[in-house]
Amino acid sequence: MSKNARPLKPLRALASLFYPPLCASCSVPVDHSAYLCRECSEKAPRIRPPFCATCSEPFDGSITETFSCANCAHRVLHFTAAVAAYRSRGIVRQIIHEFKYGKQLHLRHPVADWLAETLDDPRLQGRRFDLVVPVPLHPARKRERGFNQAELLADALSARANMPMRNALERLRYTTTQTAFDRTERMENLHNAFRLRKNANVRGLRVLLIDDVLTTGSTLSECARVLKAAGAISVHAATAARA
Ligand SMILES: [Zn+2]
Ligand SMILES: [Zn+2]
């Protein structure tokens, strides 16, 4: 380290021994507080209004009032709102994919940054959450992958926002990859896929449910249903990105 290097927070300084401060996407040097360079950050496709108040799906046009999309209007969703600040496209999709399937654990940092931006959304801002809960992976899938990406993200958000995190849910079925199913099949595939963990208590709590990406919202809705059936007062969801 050069003599005139700025003082670092101890953990970040330690981490920088293993992960030199380079942009996680294009490897140009970055400031110690950043994980992506400015150019790469700006490539991340941010969701801008108008978007569905329930599932954050953006629309073209100039609607200014709050609305729910046709997709949300025609089904029962058990969360109050699922908030994402970015679309899962381009650099966002690529980094989440490498984090999740390429075992590039250090990429949880830029992904957690995108997730944390949801806390500035008016649907979440100023709300008090008693508990942050990650969408669980089936234990066999977790062993296979080595980690639950939603849990790592929930943990990061919990630390930043000073809200307790607990693995309150468990996944019972090792379901096949969801992408091969249409929406009705996904719903059936998910039914009774989750339950409250033994000794987890969510009664009377306001829960913030976390996943990496929202695809159809079915998984988040099914988790929210289980949490509310167990007595949670409300369930909001936040993801790093949405399809
Ligand atoms: Zn870059
Ligand atoms: Zn919607």
Side-chain angles (χ1 to χ4, degrees):
M1 198 177 282
S2 75
K3 269 185 188 162
N4 51 13
R6 287 185 295 126
L8 300 173
K9 287 182 183 158
L11 275 176
R12 191 67 207 254
L14 186 65
S16 72
L17 295 175
F18 304 102
Y19 303 114
L22 300 176
C23 171
S25 181
C26 73
S27 302
V28 303
V30 291
D31 187 89
H32 275 285
S33 65
Y35 296 101
L36 292 176
C37 71
R38 180 187 289 259
E39 205 173 306
C40 287
S41 300
E42 285 172 358
K43 274 192 243 162
R46 214 172 194 300
I47 294 175
R48 302 192 188 283
F51 52 75
C52 170
T54 310
C55 75
S56 304
E57 165 131 52
F59 286 87
D60 294 329
S62 54
I63 314 160
T64 47
E65 71 273 26
T66 303
F67 72 102
S68 255
C69 72
N71 201 9
C72 287
H74 292 111
R75 60 179 178 153
V76 179
L77 289 167
H78 297 278
F79 50 75
T80 307
V83 181
Y86 291 90
R87 297 225 81 168
S88 175
R89 290 185 183 165
I91 191 172
V92 170
R93 188 165 187 277
Q94 180 201 329
I95 286 183
I96 292 176
H97 195 273
E98 282 168 22
F99 160 48
K100 203 165 151 180
Y101 302 109
K103 300 192 195 294
Q104 307 246 14
L105 276 181
H106 67 285
L107 292 178
R108 71 185 183 280
H109 298 296
V111 180
D113 278 348
W114 291 324
L115 172 65
E117 285 189 45
T118 61
L119 297 179
D120 298 328
D121 185 286
R123 290 168 292 172
L124 300 184
Q125 201 175 35
R127 274 179 197 279
R128 191 172 65 82
F129 293 105
D130 305 299
L131 194 61
V132 178
V133 174
V135 169
L137 278 187
H138 186 276
R141 173 76 40 95
K142 189 172 168 179
R143 270 197 303 278
E144 188 181 283
R145 189 171 293 165
F147 58 92
N148 172 3
Q149 73 281 358
E151 185 183 333
L152 295 182
L153 295 174
D155 207 37
L157 193 72
S158 143
R160 286 180 197 213
N162 199 21
M163 301 183 283
M165 191 280 267
R166 203 182 308 145
N167 282 301
L169 295 171
E170 62 185 339
R171 188 158 191 150
L172 300 173
R173 289 199 278 135
Y174 188 97
T175 47
T176 43
T177 301
Q178 289 268 312
T179 42
F181 293 96
D182 71 18
R183 209 175 82 200
T184 317
E185 287 171 324
R186 274 172 186 246
M187 295 292 229
E188 278 168 18
N189 200 31
L190 283 169
H191 190 67
N192 294 330
F194 302 98
R195 79 170 171 213
L196 200 71
R197 264 176 200 270
K198 223 181 250 176
N199 303 323
N201 184 3
V202 296
R203 189 160 298 282
L205 302 187
R206 297 171 189 87
V207 175
L208 182 60
L209 184 63
I210 303 298
D211 208 355
D212 54 339
V213 177
L214 176 150
T215 307
T216 62
S218 303
T219 299
L220 292 170
S221 180
E222 186 57 17
C223 288
R225 188 185 67 75
V226 171
L227 290 165
K228 285 170 110 177
I233 297 176
S234 67
V235 179
H236 288 71
T239 61
R242 95 174 306 295

